[in-house]
C-alpha cells in the first residue's frame, strides 16, 4: 500500500507508481508498429492539434496523409529547397545514423539495408522520437548533432534554427530544446544509445532551462496509448506540473 503524502510532489509521484502498477496488472496491450511508414501514419493522427512545427512553430494544415506548413505564420524564409520547404516531414530527433550506423545491416548497405532488421525498425519507428518539421530543415539537419552555436545566424528568416555545415552541427530554436533533451534521455536509456559528455551537459542544461509544455504532456499521453510505455523524462514532470 502506498502511503499518501501531504507534499504535492510526493503525492504526484505516488500516483505515478500506482498508475504504473495498475497498467502492469491490466496487461496493457500496445498497438504494434512494424515499420517507419506505419509510425508516420500514427504520428499524423497524434499531431492533428500540434501548436506548430517542431523547430519553427509554423501552423500546419493536415490533408489526409500530408502536412503543409504555413510558412508566413512563423516568418520562415526558404533557404534553397522550395519543394521540401512546403511540406511537413518526420524528423528523428535522435537521427537514424546515430542509432543505426554501428549495426551490421547498416555497414552492409546503409539505412535501406536495415529495414529488414526488426530491432532497427523498432527504434526507427518509436513515436517519441518523431517530430513534424519543415522538410527543408529536416534535409539540412541531416544527421548533424545539436549544439549551441553563438557565432552562427539563422538562414531561415524568423525561424531561429542555426546550422554550421562545415562542423556538421545545429542549434535548435529555444522552443524545441527542452523536448529534444528529454527525447535524447529517453532514447539513450531505452535503446542503450551512448551520449558524449558534451551532449549530456547540454541536454541536462536544456532540460532544466526549458520545462515541459502542455503540448509535450498531451503528446506523451497520446503516444503512451499506442506504444504502451511512457517517456518517463516527460511523464514524471507532467505529473508534477498538474
Amino acid at each position: 500500500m502506498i502511503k499518501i503524502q501531504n507534499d504535492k510532489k510526493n503525492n504526484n509521484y505516488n500516483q505515478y507508481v500506482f498508475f504504473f502498477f495498475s497498467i502492469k496488472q491490466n496487461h496493457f496491450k500496445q498497438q504494434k508498429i512494424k515499420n517507419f511508414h506505419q509510425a508516420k501514419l500514427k504520428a499524423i493522427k497524434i499531431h492533428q492539434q500540434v501548436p506548430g512545427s517542431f523547430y519553427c512553430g509554423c501552423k500546419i494544415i493536415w490533408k489526409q496523409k500530408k502536412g503543409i506548413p504555413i510558412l508566413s505564420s512563423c516568418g520562415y524564409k526558404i533557404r534553397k529547397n522550395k519543394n521540401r520547404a512546403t511540406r511537413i516531414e518526420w524528423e528523428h530527433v535522435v537521427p537514424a545514423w546515430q542509432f543505426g550506423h554501428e549495426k551490421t545491416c547498416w555497414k552492409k548497405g546503409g539505412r535501406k539495408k536495415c529495414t529488414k532488421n526488426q530491432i532497427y525498425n523498432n527504434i526507427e519507428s518509436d513515436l517519441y522520437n518523431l517530430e513534424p518539421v519543415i522538410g527543408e530543415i529536416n534535409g539540412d539537419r541531416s544527421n548533424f548533432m545539436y549544439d549551441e552555436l553563438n557565432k552562427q545566424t539563422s538562414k531561415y528568416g524568423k525561424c531561429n534554427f542555426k546550422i554550421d555545415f562545415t562542423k556538421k552541427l545545429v542549434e535548435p530554436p529555444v522552443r524545441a530544446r527542452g523536448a529534444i533533451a528529454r527525447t535524447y534521455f529517453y532514447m539513450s536509456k531505452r535503446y542503450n544509445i551512448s551520449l558524449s559528455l558534451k551532449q549530456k551537459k547540454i541536454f541536462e542544461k536544456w532540460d532544466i532551462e526549458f520545462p515541459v509544455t502542455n503540448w509535450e504532456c498531451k503528446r506523451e499521453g497520446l503516444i503512451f496509448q499506442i506504444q504502451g510505455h511512457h517517456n518517463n523524462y516527460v511523464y514524471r514532470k507532467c505529473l508534477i506540473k498538474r
Side-chain angles (χ1 to χ4, degrees):
M1 181 176 179
I2 299 170
K3 183 179 180 181
I4 303 299
Q5 304 289 332
N6 290 326
D7 182 84
K8 184 178 179 182
K9 182 176 180 180
N10 290 335
N11 185 48
N12 283 330
Y13 181 73
N14 287 340
Q15 291 177 25
Y16 161 75
V17 173
F18 175 78
F19 186 50
F20 175 80
F21 283 108
S22 295
I23 291 168
K24 208 171 182 184
Q25 291 171 358
N26 291 333
H27 304 291
F28 190 99
K29 186 177 180 181
Q30 69 183 69
Q31 299 177 38
K32 186 66 175 177
I33 299 175
K34 296 180 180 179
N35 53 52
F36 184 39
H37 174 71
Q38 291 183 5
K40 287 189 288 185
L41 296 179
K42 293 289 185 184
I44 291 171
K45 294 180 179 180
I46 289 168
H47 291 82
Q48 288 296 307
Q49 296 181 338
V50 66
S53 61
F54 185 58
Y55 294 124
C56 304
C58 287
K59 181 181 177 182
I60 301 173
I61 295 177
W62 298 102
K63 292 186 177 180
Q64 297 180 339
K65 298 179 182 180
K66 295 181 180 180
I68 302 171
I70 307 303
L71 303 183
S72 60
S73 68
C74 66
Y76 185 89
K77 181 180 179 181
I78 298 173
R79 184 185 73 85
K80 185 177 181 180
N81 194 325
K82 183 178 179 179
N83 184 45
R84 294 186 73 172
T86 51
R87 72 189 188 207
I88 289 295
E89 297 180 5
W90 293 99
E91 164 88 307
H92 285 91
V93 175
V94 179
W97 178 88
Q98 191 168 2
F99 57 75
H101 77 283
E102 292 183 347
K103 296 187 181 301
T104 302
C105 57
W106 193 287
K107 292 177 181 178
K108 289 182 177 180
R111 183 174 177 176
K112 290 183 178 180
K113 194 72 174 180
C114 284
T115 55
K116 296 180 180 179
N117 183 303
Q118 193 55 52
I119 294 176
Y120 172 84
N121 283 334
N122 291 340
I123 306 174
E124 185 184 42
S125 59
D126 192 312
L127 292 167
Y128 287 119
N129 192 40
L130 298 180
E131 294 283 2
V133 303
I134 293 172
E136 183 178 43
I137 294 272
N138 186 34
D140 285 354
R141 189 244 169 153
S142 183
N143 59 8
F144 297 176
M145 296 295 103
Y146 296 112
D147 205 339
E148 294 184 346
L149 308 175
N150 298 324
K151 295 182 180 180
Q152 294 291 323
T153 57
S154 172
K155 299 177 175 65
Y156 308 95
K158 292 183 180 179
C159 176
N160 198 28
F161 185 93
K162 300 177 184 178
I163 186 164
D164 188 324
F165 288 102
T166 302
K167 295 182 179 180
K168 297 185 177 181
L169 295 171
V170 299
E171 179 185 281
V174 167
R175 72 187 312 277
R177 293 181 191 180
I180 287 170
R182 290 178 280 276
T183 299
Y184 255 91
F185 289 146
Y186 158 80
M187 292 291 287
S188 176
K189 184 174 180 62
R190 185 165 184 84
Y191 300 111
N192 196 30
I193 299 171
S194 61
L195 302 180
S196 68
L197 182 60
K198 183 180 180 180
Q199 283 182 311
K200 289 179 181 178
K201 287 184 177 180
I202 288 177
F203 296 148
E204 286 171 357
K205 176 173 174 280
W206 290 356
D207 183 36
I208 295 171
E209 289 182 351
F210 308 105
V212 290
T213 62
N214 291 335
W215 166 250
E216 201 175 345
C217 292
K218 182 176 181 178
R219 175 179 176 272
E220 198 282 337
L222 292 171
I223 294 175
F224 167 75
Q225 292 176 29
I226 296 173
Q227 296 191 171
H229 65 270
H230 289 290
N231 173 348
N232 283 323
Y233 295 94
V234 175
Y235 178 63
R236 290 182 180 178
K237 293 178 184 295
C238 292
L239 285 180
I240 297 171
K241 182 181 174 70
R242 288 174 185 174

